[in-house]
Amino acid sequence: MGWPYDLMTLAEFEELPEDTTRQYELQDGVLVTSPLPGPLHQKARFRVTNALSSQLPSVWRVVHGVETVTRPDFPACVRVPDVVVVPDHVFDERLARFSATQVLMVVEIVSAGSRTTDTVVKPVEYAEAGVPYYWTVHLAEPMSVTAYRLGDNGQYEKDPPATGVFAVPDPFPLSLDLTELMSPRKRRVDQ
């Protein structure tokens, strides 16, 4: 399949050849490419994944970098969230990608090239897809997390950005120590 010149369907997106040099998403049928996450972004994603994983009830799983279909119908939308929380049984199905209806929470690490998409476009898209919880992690000083909860009206209710230690009671008690997120780790010394 050559480079698309028209809006793509989900089936056409799935037919794209594998390319590990870029990240591909589908926004309203338009193929969007972006550079792969850099080292600081990856470090933050890894630490968020570990922090959440250690706090989740055992029936939930944290994964990162998995395609998530937010709209299967034309014009299709497919995102590659930094972190998603899904039920264990969904993870165990070994799907190539998740449906947004299977996702409890999405976390995006905001970078210079994704600020508008992560804070303006994706909240609308994830809410329309029915993702109950959405967080944006801002690495620029002062580091902060903004939490969104899906309201009864189908739109997100947005909390003010939190700095320091970020904690929420829903969907279950979770916290993220932002001072530890990018701090250097002490190396273990074997004796």
Side-chain angles (χ1 to χ4, degrees), residues 53 56-63 83-92 98 105:
S53 185
L56 290 177
S58 61
V59 296
W60 296 95
R61 185 76 59 101
V62 181
V63 292
V83 177
V84 295
V85 176
V86 295
D88 258 350
H89 70 86
V90 169
F91 181 83
D92 291 342
F98 298 129
M105 183 167 67

Side-chain angles (χ1 to χ4, degrees), residues 5 10 19 21 25 33 38 40-41 46-47 51-52 56 63 78 96 101 111-112 119 127 129 139 145 153 161 166 186:
Y5 291 101
L10 181 57
D19 179 0
T21 64
E25 293 184 322
T33 64
L40 291 178
H41 190 109
F46 175 78
R47 289 193 176 167
L52 293 178
L56 290 177
V63 292
V78 179
T101 59
S111 54
T119 62
L139 298 180
V145 175
N153 62 358
F166 166 75
K186 294 179 180 173

Side-chain angles (χ1 to χ4, degrees), residues 8-162:
M8 296 180 73
T9 65
L10 181 57
E12 290 169 332
F13 180 78
E14 291 171 344
E15 291 175 13
L16 289 173
E18 186 174 340
D19 179 0
T20 58
T21 64
R22 302 242 182 288
Q23 181 169 285
Y24 292 89
E25 293 184 322
L26 200 56
Q27 181 175 318
D28 294 325
V30 176
L31 185 63
V32 178
T33 64
S34 58
L36 294 174
L40 291 178
H41 190 109
Q42 290 183 45
K43 178 180 182 178
R45 180 170 66 183
F46 175 78
R47 289 193 176 167
V48 167
T49 299
N50 284 344
L52 293 178
S53 185
S54 69
Q55 299 174 65
L56 290 177
S58 61
V59 296
W60 296 95
R61 185 76 59 101
V62 181
V63 292
H64 58 85
V66 176
E67 290 177 357
T68 300
V69 179
T70 58
R71 186 186 315 130
D73 302 326
F74 187 80
C77 292
V78 179
R79 294 297 182 181
V80 185
D82 286 307
V83 177
V84 295
V85 176
V86 295
D88 258 350
H89 70 86
V90 169
F91 181 83
D92 291 342
E93 291 176 29
R94 300 174 193 245
L95 304 169
R97 62 190 48 81
F98 298 129
S99 165
T101 59
Q102 299 169 310
V103 173
L104 174 69
M105 183 167 67
V106 168
V107 180
E108 294 284 8
I109 311 296
V110 179
S111 54
S114 71
R115 186 173 47 86
T116 301
T117 303
D118 290 343
T119 62
V120 178
V121 176
K122 287 183 181 179
V124 172
E125 190 175 319
Y126 289 138
E128 287 177 353
V131 175
Y133 298 92
Y134 176 53
W135 295 358
T136 54
V137 178
H138 303 260
L139 298 180
E141 291 295 332
M143 230 179 300
S144 65
V145 175
T146 302
Y148 301 76
R149 283 179 317 285
L150 196 58
D152 293 336
N153 62 358
Q155 297 178 349
Y156 280 132
E157 297 168 4
K158 179 180 170 184
D159 290 343

